[in-house]
């Protein structure tokens, strides 16, 4: 399990006072209102930044970091990821998991036949879709609904599924 969880990516500067537009990679962008600090991954180093202000604009979050008051101080961080530590992550409800903890899990059917490995989770309007890659390199798309996903065991890295009629056709 990863110690850092991505919550967003800086896409552009916003104004000249050091604010940035952040594309949220979390399912709840409102979490940024409570965010006190985050970790900026520049590719070369990880810097802890204290959040001074937060507002919303369309699908973006506008963040202001303490001590960064000029567009020139923040411009070099475009396309850099913003992370939080696992301790500062949002609390999960029962049956919820961080996608990063699920990726790489072995996916088996209820008959214990191995399907493949969880490669990705697609976020759609109605429900998430699990992308499972078979040993042959084929992709199987499984809806993340309780009729299909029977059990997720993060500790064992194992997901048990029921193959609904027509899913493998």
């Amino acid at each position: 399990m990863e110690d850092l969880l991505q919550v967003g990516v800086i896409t552009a500067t916003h104004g000249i006072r050091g604010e940035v537009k952040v594309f949220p990679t979390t399912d709840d962008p409102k979490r940024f209102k409570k965010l006190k600090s985050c970790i900026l991954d520049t590719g070369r180093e990880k810097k802890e930044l204290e959040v001074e202000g937060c507002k919303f604009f369309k699908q973006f979050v506008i963040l202001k970091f303490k001590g960064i008051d000029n567009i020139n101080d923040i411009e070099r961080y475009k396309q850099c990821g913003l992370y939080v530590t696992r301790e500062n992550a949002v609390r999960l409800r029962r049956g919820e998991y961080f996608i990063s903890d699920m990726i790489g899990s072995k996916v088996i059917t209820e008959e214990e036949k191995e399907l493949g490995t969880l490669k990705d989770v697609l976020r759609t309007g109605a429900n998430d879709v699990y992308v499972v890659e078979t040993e042959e390199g084929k992709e199987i798309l499984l809806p993340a609904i309780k009729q299909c996903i029977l059990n997720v065991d993060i500790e064992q890295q194992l997901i048990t599924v029921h193959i609904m009629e027509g899913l493998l056709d």
Side-chain angles (χ1 to χ4, degrees), residues 145-159:
I145 56 176
K146 62 183 171 189
Q147 295 89 338
C148 187
I149 308 301
L150 301 178
N151 187 46
V152 176
D153 186 338
I154 295 296
E155 299 298 320
Q156 298 292 318
Q157 288 277 282
L158 187 66
I159 300 173

Side-chain angles (χ1 to χ4, degrees), residues 40 81 96 99 110-111 113 122 143 169:
L40 173 74
E96 289 183 331
I99 292 172
E110 57 196 323
E111 295 84 22
K113 178 183 173 231
L122 304 176
D169 296 338

Side-chain angles (χ1 to χ4, degrees), residues 108-122:
I108 61 170
T109 66
E110 57 196 323
E111 295 84 22
E112 297 187 11
K113 178 183 173 231
E114 189 170 336
L115 267 184
T117 304
L118 185 68
K119 179 178 158 186
D120 199 3
V121 176
L122 304 176

Side-chain angles (χ1 to χ4, degrees), residues 15 19 40 48 51 55-56 63 76 84 106 110 112 129 132 139 141 162 165 167:
E19 291 180 316
L40 173 74
E48 186 158 354
V51 177
K55 52 190 174 185
F56 300 93
L63 290 181
R76 65 180 148 224
V84 294
K106 183 173 23 169
E110 57 196 323
E112 297 187 11
V129 175
V132 178
E139 285 187 350
L141 302 177
H162 167 75
E165 203 171 315
L167 274 180

